[in-house]
Amino acid sequence: MSESEELHKGLEGVLVAESALSYIDGSVGKLVYRGYAIEDLAEDASYEEVLHLLWNGHLPDSEELDAFTDAITEEAAVDDVVLDALAGLAEADERPMAALRSGVSMLSAADDGDSDPRDSDAALETGRRIVAKIPTLLAAYDRLRRGEDPVEPRGDLSLAANFLYMLTGEVPDDASAEAMDQALVLHADHGLNASTFTSMVVASTFADMYSSVTAGVGALSGPLHGGANQDVMELFFEIEAEGADPVDYVTTKQEREDDWRVPGYGHRVYKVKDPRAKILEKRAKELSEASGDTTYYDYAKAIETFFTEEKGLDERGIAPNVDFFSGTVYHQLGIPVDMFTPIFALSRAGGWIGHVLEYQEDNRLIRPRGRYVGPENSDFVPLDRR
């Protein structure tokens, strides 16, 4: 590479693939999956319908949806060899995202199906098995680390409802199941984000789907990608513990720590409020009011109002993203804070798989270049003379 060639650090603005799965217009806060507005899908489509849309290119009719959902439900159970490994990780107090990463990788050991990545049908079936089992993995791990036995999945519940059931041991009410399902719809895909691109890089070598999804989990575990919703809730817990005013607390924290930023604020793509944040804000309000405790929702709204009306951050392209309200939703559902990012992965796995399948239809090994800036013409000195 010559010095005159432009360097694109972080590949920002570089087109590396074409995709029909999702589209984002960050200037107006628009997100669509295969042409459908996220607002419509979040309001009226289930996560299973969205998976079918992403993987098969169209929304299913009733017969297709039943068959698709049944196929997922049939694969939800996790083999004992994987559960035993999770128990060991729980005993070692492993972080949930790390446990998920290891768990997804271990699923291949108990998979006797055809997982040949060069066979698109086999790759799709492998992806289906992975998506079916991730909720079981996560719920089992959380119960194991609490000293409780895993709960087996039920065949009569949606993926979202089954996850909450396996987590708590109780069938969720309709409002909780709908909230969980909506959150999964909203997180299912989002263009070529870091974890999706990571999955595609691995898939471009024709590694199997387990490797691609495991890599996606690893990328999502980094604090610059996933995890802001956990940070938001931990901030709210701090405010509550201090008995502080939320606006005073965050402004004081900003003054004392130059590099501190309000978690859940700003986005690499969106220059206005994230459309997913608008939807989850409404859901957080509904759940909070139904529970009789609006503390954390009120914190979020007070902080947002201050930064919008007093500081004008929205005019500078800085506004709440999806994580600013999703944590409040998950907390209202009784989900532990360190499970928030794993739930992100639970949903986004559907998008990772969709992009892998799409990219492999016209696969080319992803192999960028780097500019060498090291020393030249170094004289080698034998070991005995160094």
Side-chain angles (χ1 to χ4, degrees):
M1 180 187 292
S2 69
E3 293 186 3
S4 63
E5 290 183 89
E6 185 177 357
L7 178 66
H8 296 277
K9 201 70 177 291
L11 297 181
E12 186 167 3
V14 177
L15 289 172
V16 298
E18 293 182 326
S19 177
L21 271 70
S22 62
Y23 169 72
I24 308 161
D25 185 340
S27 64
V28 297
K30 180 179 181 180
L31 171 62
V32 300
Y33 295 167
R34 291 196 182 274
Y36 294 96
I38 192 61
E39 291 83 358
D40 293 336
L41 293 172
E43 183 68 25
D44 296 317
S46 67
Y47 181 61
E48 285 84 353
E49 288 176 85
V50 167
L51 283 180
H52 190 283
L53 172 66
L54 293 175
W55 294 354
N56 297 296
H58 67 277
L59 287 170
D61 59 26
S62 296
E63 185 176 339
E64 289 175 318
L65 180 60
D66 287 344
F68 186 75
T69 301
D70 288 346
I72 291 175
T73 302
E74 290 172 1
E75 298 287 356
V78 171
D79 194 274
D80 286 344
V81 68
V82 179
L83 293 177
D84 289 344
L86 289 178
L89 294 175
E91 187 175 348
D93 197 26
E94 181 63 283
R95 293 169 293 114
M97 270 302 274
L100 176 61
R101 180 198 63 218
S102 299
V104 171
S105 180
M106 287 185 292
L107 285 176
S108 65
D111 188 348
D112 55 4
D114 184 359
S115 59
D116 183 359
R118 292 181 181 271
D119 181 335
S120 59
D121 290 336
L124 174 58
E125 291 302 300
T126 302
R128 176 173 57 79
R129 291 193 290 273
I130 293 172
V131 164
K133 295 178 190 303
I134 285 180
T136 311
L137 273 178
L138 285 175
Y141 183 72
D142 187 59
R143 292 183 68 85
L144 286 166
R145 67 177 179 162
R146 290 188 276 122
E148 300 176 353
D149 293 331
V151 174
E152 293 185 3
R154 285 177 46 156
D156 60 338
L157 297 176
S158 69
L159 192 147
N162 230 339
F163 172 67
L164 292 177
Y165 165 67
M166 291 185 289
L167 196 69
T168 65
E170 298 181 1
V171 176
D173 58 33
D174 290 344
S176 296
E178 289 172 5
M180 187 75 246
D181 189 76
Q182 186 178 64
L184 298 185
V185 168
L186 293 172
H187 288 85
D189 196 44
H190 206 246
L192 297 196
N193 53 82
S195 57
T196 297
F197 184 62
T198 298
S199 297
M200 290 168 59
V201 170
V202 173
S204 77
T205 71
F206 273 118
D208 65 22
M209 191 67 78
Y210 288 104
S211 299
S212 294
V213 175
T214 300
V217 174
L220 187 62
S221 68
L224 294 185
H225 187 13
N229 49 13
Q230 178 176 342
D231 295 338
V232 171
M233 284 309 303
E234 290 176 345
L235 171 66
F236 291 170
F237 293 157
E238 291 176 15
I239 294 171
E240 184 178 37
E242 294 289 332
D245 176 84
V247 173
D248 290 344
Y249 191 86
V250 296
T251 52
T252 300
K253 198 171 181 68
Q254 285 181 320
E255 292 169 359
R256 291 176 177 174
E257 303 175 30
D258 292 338
D259 60 346
W260 186 82
R261 297 180 180 180
V262 179
Y265 242 82
H267 195 277
R268 184 75 167 262
V269 178
Y270 292 112
K271 303 308 176 186
V272 296
K273 190 171 181 177
D274 187 331
R276 301 168 299 174
K278 295 179 180 179
I279 297 167
L280 287 176
E281 175 186 344
K282 179 181 177 181
R283 182 66 69 172
K285 184 175 187 291
E286 292 172 352
L287 291 173
S288 298
E289 290 178 344
S291 73
D293 183 1
T294 63
T295 300
Y296 304 128
Y297 173 78
D298 292 341
Y299 287 171
K301 287 304 297 178
I303 292 169
E304 180 187 11
T305 300
F306 172 76
F307 282 116
T308 300
E309 297 182 0
E310 300 294 328
K311 292 294 187 179
L313 289 190
D314 57 329
E315 297 175 2
R316 292 155 49 190
I318 304 173
N321 61 47
V322 67
D323 292 319
F324 195 63
F325 289 99
S326 64
T328 301
V329 171
Y330 295 151
H331 179 75
Q332 289 292 343
L333 295 177
I335 298 171
V337 174
D338 61 359
M339 290 286 284
F340 290 179
T341 306
I343 291 173
F344 190 164
L346 185 163
S347 171
R348 185 57 57 83
W352 295 334
I353 291 163
H355 281 277
V356 165
L357 295 169
E358 182 183 54
Y359 189 79
Q360 288 182 332
E361 289 178 359
D362 185 25
N363 191 75
R364 182 168 178 79
L365 177 66
I366 297 175
R367 204 297 189 188
R369 294 182 297 153
R371 177 183 293 148
Y372 179 70
V373 294
E376 298 181 6
N377 304 317
S378 300
D379 293 326
F380 179 79
V381 178
L383 179 60
D384 61 356
R385 290 167 47 197
R386 291 179 215 157

